[in-house]
Structures are given as structure tokens and as C-alpha cells.
Amino acid sequence: MRAITLSAEDDFDGWRDAARALAQAHVPPPEVVWRVGEGGGDLFAVDASPPPAATGPQLRVPKAFVELAQAVILHSDPQRFALLYTLLTTDSHRVEDRADPLVRRLELMAKAVRRDIHKMRAFVRFRELVDDTGTRFVAWFEPEHHIVRANARFFVERFASMRWSILTPEVSLHWDGTTLSEGPAATREDAPADDPVEAVWKTYYASIFNPARLKTGAMLKEMPRKYWKNMPETALVKALVAGARARETAMVETARGAVGGNVEGAWEALRDEASACTRCPLYKPATQTVFGEGPLDAPMMLVGEQPGDQEDLAGRAFVGPAGQMLDRALDEAGIDRARVYVTNAVKHFKFEPRGKRRIHAKPDAGEITACRWWYEQELALVRPKLVVALGATAARQITGKAATIAKLRGRKLALPEGGTGWVTVHPSYLLRLPDADAAAQAYLDFVADLRGAWALL
Ligand code: URA
């Protein structure tokens, strides 16, 4: 038996060096005990057996294995070191085989880690602290996995000019504007409880909180209870729920003003939260949330169905073949895409794997409803004069009801949140028409619909 002591829970380099030496010495996985603790890097210190000599040819592993291992090491499962070592020693090329149970297990672990990284980015809230040395922003966060150090670069880049500290039960990070340093584990009490910076957040949440659609269960699901206690805006929820009925009217109207003019900041916060969305199961196989984009004072909002294969990879709406068709038609209708806010009814790519391909699958009613939350927030912030739905899924999202395109197409619609809606076909419908003449006519009709919509403005 050999005991390997790593210097920290996220000590990837330590694991890699030890695993390489062990594998080269042909030490089988059951003979290795992995531990984390003091005296890291002190390989084989505990057991009597001498360290294996790292001789023989260099161990070569696929890049995918290294990437998987770098993520899995951050997982909280104590088995992770041994599982990775098993994969390394049996054949690291198995990593390409998605059906392999060990690979699947490790991939799920890597995915949980990535999600936790996203959650930290979305849910960390700084509170302002003023002391003799000036102003510092302090946040308390409890991650599920060992992701804090791996996330440090993100916070340094995002908040480069602030002095900040992120306190967690495992480690604390401190940035003084030039240097990142690490401190010991902290407790919630070490972080300040309230401050004026939170006012922006609280106002934002008050503004987007629509009492007519109050569903506490849904709110809890979106923002896991675990994070509620750290987020200033959630302190408002009780009060908001209590006063809900009285505030039932005029709420949406005041939304934009209530974010104190910081629409951009509110939108960024929203997009970050959406990046960690788990409101429906579509987030699981998708690469990422594809949020809307465009000017936040756009007079027109275009709503598509859901991101396609290319959008899922790029993280941007309408950049694939349907996007090219849309761009062409917008151009022909005299509409500058840069003046339009473009989003989707559903913000994750739904697909069925077929070999190496991912075939588009239509979102169902539950998925459309689950995603309405994000559409409503985008609507409250952008407040476009006109919302144009491309296809039946988008039409359902903007009207809140199922209906056929034929019934809704090309006429002004009163939307449930206020404002005007307009429905036309989806550009990918044009791409699917097998008959060239029918496709050409459908394209002209589509351009005419867009032109008609723009004319309403
Ligand atoms: N189809 C859509 O509905 N939206 C996109 O972003 C891309 C394709």
C-alpha cells in the first residue's frame, strides 16, 4: 500500500506528478491511498514501501484526459483521485468513449464542478467595508466543490480595480488591486452583513418582482436556498411577497426606472444568473446558456425558438445558418440588426444525439414555460416597443398561449406584459422548404413581415 499526500483539495499538479510516477512504476490502483493534508508533495511519506522510480518512457495521455482530470480534481468526492488514477492506468484513451461507465461518472463530476464555478460567478455578492486602509468589498460564498482558487482569475479580471476579499469555508482570496493572496478558511460572521452597494441589487429585484406571477417555489428553484442567505436581494423576498397584492399593478411599468439607471449592470447580472440556470433539464446536455443580446434600449426585440448547434457552441443567438438567413432578410427589410435586441424563447439547445451529430429537437410546453422567467426579465429591462416572434415556439412564449402561426401572422397583438407583439415564420422554416419556388416566395413573405413590423415603429 502506498499513501500519497496532496498539498490541497485542488492540488492537480501534486496528483499529476504522483500519478505519473506511480503509473510508470506499474503500481495498481488498489495499492494507492490518496489523502489531502499537511506536508503536501511529500510523496509516499507515510508508508514503508519506497517510492517507485519514475523511469521508463514518458507517459502520454490525450489532451481530453488532462482537461477532464483538471476539472474532476476540484470535485468534493474523496474518490476522485483514485478514479482518475484508475482511468489513467487502464487506458487514458478510454476518455474518448462516452459510453464507458467510469468516463461517464467522471464527466458528470466535471460537469458538476463547471456548474459550481458558474454559480460562484453568478451568486457572489460583495458588501462594502470601509476601514483605516480604505474601501474593501467582501463576499461570503459556500461552494459545493473545491473551485475557489480555480475561479480566482475570473474575479481578478472582473473586479480588477476594486480591493476585494472572497471568504469561503475552505480558503479566502484577497485582491489589493495588484496582487492576489490567499488566507485561511473563514466563517460567515467574518463578512459584513449589509451595505449601500446592495441597494442596486435590491432595487433591481424589487423592480423585476412581478407579484401577479408570484410563485415562491419557482423562485426557490432558480436560486437554490443554499445561496439565498448570502444574497441581499433575497432579504427582500419576504417583504415583497407580503406586499404583493397591493403592488399588483404598475409594477412592470416602473421596472426600468427602478434599477436606478443601471440597466446595463442589471442585464449583466441577469445574464450571469442565466448562465447557471437549471430551471429545466435542458441545461444538462447543452454546452451553455445562450442569452439574448443587443442594445438595451432597442425598439424591437426579436425572439427565436432556441439556440441551434452553432449557437450552443458559440454562446450567441442566431449565428448559424438560420442566423445568416435572418441577417439577409433583415438587411433586405431595411432593418439594422445592431439596433435590435435578439433573444430566444428557450435559452438552451435541445437536441438528440445521432452519432457525432446533434439533431435539433423542439422544446416542449414545460421547457418553454420554465424559460419564460428569463424572457420576462429581458422584457422588463429592454422594454421594446415591439416584440417579434419567429415561429410557433416564440409565438407561444410572447403571447403566453399556444396558437398557429397562420392565425397570428402579420397583425398587431396585445402582449400580456403590455406592448405590441408581431408573429412571423422562423427563418429555418425557409431553409427546410424543398421546392425552390415555394422557398423564394416564403422568403419574400418573411421579408415583407419584417418590413411590416419595422413600419409599426
Ligand atoms: N434558431 C433559433 O431560433 N435561434 C437561434 O439562436 C438559432 C437558431
Side-chain angles (χ1 to χ4, degrees), residues 284-348:
K284 287 185 197 151
T287 308
Q288 59 194 314
T289 307
V290 177
F291 206 62
E293 61 181 40
L296 299 179
D297 58 354
M300 179 192 274
M301 179 184 281
L302 275 179
V303 184
E305 183 197 64
Q306 61 163 348
D309 183 70
Q310 293 195 27
E311 286 80 10
D312 168 78
L313 298 173
R316 301 189 57 202
F318 281 110
V319 292
Q324 281 157 27
M325 173 64 84
L326 176 65
D327 285 349
R328 206 178 115 207
L330 284 173
D331 198 39
E332 202 148 334
I335 304 171
D336 180 2
R337 176 165 168 170
R339 291 196 56 205
V340 177
Y341 186 89
V342 181
T343 190
N344 280 299
V346 172
K347 300 209 172 9
H348 279 118

Side-chain angles (χ1 to χ4, degrees), residues 11-64:
D11 182 9
F12 174 75
D13 291 346
W15 176 85
R16 185 198 50 210
D17 294 348
R20 187 184 285 148
L22 291 163
Q24 281 180 329
H26 305 289
V27 179
E31 278 188 26
V32 187
V33 177
W34 298 90
R35 309 195 298 209
V36 176
E38 293 295 309
D42 186 8
L43 299 192
F44 321 118
V46 179
D47 278 65
S49 44
T55 53
Q58 265 284 337
L59 191 64
R60 302 204 76 82
V61 295
K63 192 161 160 255

Side-chain angles (χ1 to χ4, degrees), residues 111-126:
K111 193 159 188 177
V113 164
R114 284 188 212 108
R115 195 151 295 283
D116 207 30
I117 287 177
H118 269 304
K119 279 192 173 145
M120 179 171 172
R121 293 176 185 186
F123 295 134
V124 155
R125 296 283 178 271
F126 287 103

Side-chain angles (χ1 to χ4, degrees), residues 56-118:
Q58 265 284 337
L59 191 64
R60 302 204 76 82
V61 295
K63 192 161 160 255
F65 176 83
V66 178
E67 284 167 4
L68 181 71
Q70 279 170 331
V72 169
I73 287 293
L74 308 182
H75 200 277
S76 54
D77 187 337
Q79 294 288 319
R80 64 196 183 281
F81 306 117
L83 293 172
L84 283 169
Y85 184 60
T86 303
L87 182 61
L88 177 73
T89 48
T90 48
D91 175 9
S92 59
H93 289 86
R94 272 166 74 187
V95 74
E96 317 283 357
D97 179 5
R98 296 276 162 99
D100 183 302
L102 175 58
V103 173
R104 261 195 74 70
R105 178 166 171 195
L106 290 167
E107 289 218 316
L108 286 175
M109 290 166 77
K111 193 159 188 177
V113 164
R114 284 188 212 108
R115 195 151 295 283
D116 207 30
I117 287 177
H118 269 304

Side-chain angles (χ1 to χ4, degrees), residues 228-243:
W228 271 48
K229 48 190 189 294
N230 307 326
M231 298 178 69
E233 57 271 33
T234 55
L236 279 189
V237 170
K238 245 182 157 169
L240 289 168
V241 172

